[in-house]
Amino acid sequence: MKNILLLSAACLLFSACLKDDLDPATLTTNPLDLAYDGTPLVVLEHDTVRITENAQGLPQDTIFEQTVRVRTELLSPLTSWTWRITDLNTGQTWNSGSSTSYTTTITSPQLGNTYCFQYTLIVQYAPTKPYSICSVANL
Amino acid sequence: MHLRCDSYGKAFATAVWIAAVFCVLPMNTAQAQTSGKLRLLVDPGDSYEFVVDHQFRMQQREVELTTGPHHFSFWAPKRMVVDTTLVVEEGRTKSVVLYLPYSKDYLVYQRELQQYQRTMRKYRVIPAVITGGAALFTIISYSKAKKAHDQLEEDRTAYDENRSPTRIDVLKYETIPADKDDFKKANTQYLVAAGVTALFAGATVYLYHISGKIPQPEFIDNEKLRFDGLTWVPGPQGGTWMGGITWNINR
């Protein structure tokens, strides 16, 4: 009787301790979370400065292009998004389609200047973590 | 206290036998025509015994005797010995209804037994029931705490699998804190319940131990000793004469 009671009490006390080790502040692994701190979801593909020509083959204009892409392997297969781009130099913001990559273009850039853009994926009408990517306009 | 005198008993039994053969039996034969019957309706009906004329111990419902008065001593387990004289009438069967009252010793034993059972209930049953209830409450509390814990695990899985930033925000800043609060409350309740159960269990063990030292009342049927002392009881080695003296030192 005594042993049974002691054993059952000990079992109740020690074998079933439950711990709460879930801290919302440490939840940063979902790429769609604003607090995501894993591998960047948006990365720079390439940045170029090119000179356009007119019909006579003469130099017409200089164009700066910055191409970024979404690392789709980090997202669930059915995730869809749209782009929101902010020019950090001017503060201008615009939205774009749902392609995997996106190219920002600036006509007649100041060569040697740094152009920074903030890319945000909009998923189900809500923004994800923004990524700022800067490039120097060099020929 | 019993007096056993085997050698004297045997000699006396032999003498009684010779007297019966030469004196009593011829008389019985002469008087056989003047007999009657007694039908005994005694409560309790299944276990009573009686001694007729301080000599013959019997256990039957009907007895045939010579006419005239006969002394009867009735007895049954837990009952008093009742002495009475019954008159047998010639050629008739008389029914005798008799209730054997419970013996004083048995009534005292019953009272002591009830007191003992009440004490045992107080020392064993009630604490055990309370401990059982506390254990049940602990199990229920644990179940709630486990459920709340499982909900947190589900929240973690939901965070990993969610494809909506809005829902992730709601999950992180509303759902999970609320679920954590629920878990904290349930876990606290469980730990308190487990502690209380352990205390009750300890108290139950202690009371169980204490109550084990209380002696259980024992019934000694002194009326049986008195009844057995009324007659000669044959044994495997022949016979013994038994006498009984009862002195209750409690009163």
Side-chain angles (χ1 to χ4, degrees), chain A:
Chain A
M1 173 76 178
K2 186 180 177 181
N3 290 338
I4 291 170
L5 283 170
L6 286 175
L7 190 65
S8 57
C11 284
L12 278 172
L13 278 174
F14 300 117
S15 71
C17 286
L18 300 169
K19 286 181 182 174
D20 169 20
D21 52 3
L22 181 61
D23 180 7
T26 62
L27 292 176
T28 55
T29 53
N30 191 322
L32 302 182
D33 186 358
L34 283 170
Y36 174 65
D37 66 355
T39 311
L41 184 59
V42 177
V43 290
L44 177 66
E45 187 107 303
H46 57 83
D47 49 8
T48 55
V49 174
R50 61 185 173 87
I51 298 168
T52 57
E53 296 175 345
N54 60 15
Q56 290 77 37
L58 297 170
Q60 185 184 29
D61 215 340
T62 310
I63 292 175
F64 167 78
E65 289 177 341
Q66 185 184 63
T67 301
V68 294
R69 71 171 175 87
V70 177
R71 297 189 63 174
T72 51
E73 68 272 19
L74 297 177
L75 298 174
S76 302
L78 295 174
T79 308
S80 60
W81 62 86
T82 58
W83 290 95
R84 177 184 290 169
I85 305 101
T86 301
D87 185 340
L88 294 177
N89 294 60
T90 62
Q92 188 186 358
T93 298
W94 66 96
N95 292 332
S96 184
S98 58
S99 57
T100 303
S101 59
Y102 180 79
T103 300
T104 309
T105 306
I106 292 179
T107 308
S108 306
Q110 286 277 337
L111 294 177
N113 269 13
T114 301
Y115 292 94
C116 293
F117 300 94
Q118 190 179 67
Y119 298 93
T120 307
L121 295 184
I122 308 297
V123 179
Q124 295 186 16
Y125 310 106
T128 60
K129 180 184 176 180
Y131 294 90
S132 297
I133 296 172
C134 296
S135 298
V136 179
N138 280 330
L139 274 173

Side-chain angles (χ1 to χ4, degrees), chain B residues 14 40 47-48 143 166 169 199 208:
Chain B
T14 309
L40 303 170
S47 57
Y48 71 89
S143 172
T166 307
D169 264 13
L199 279 177
Y208 201 91

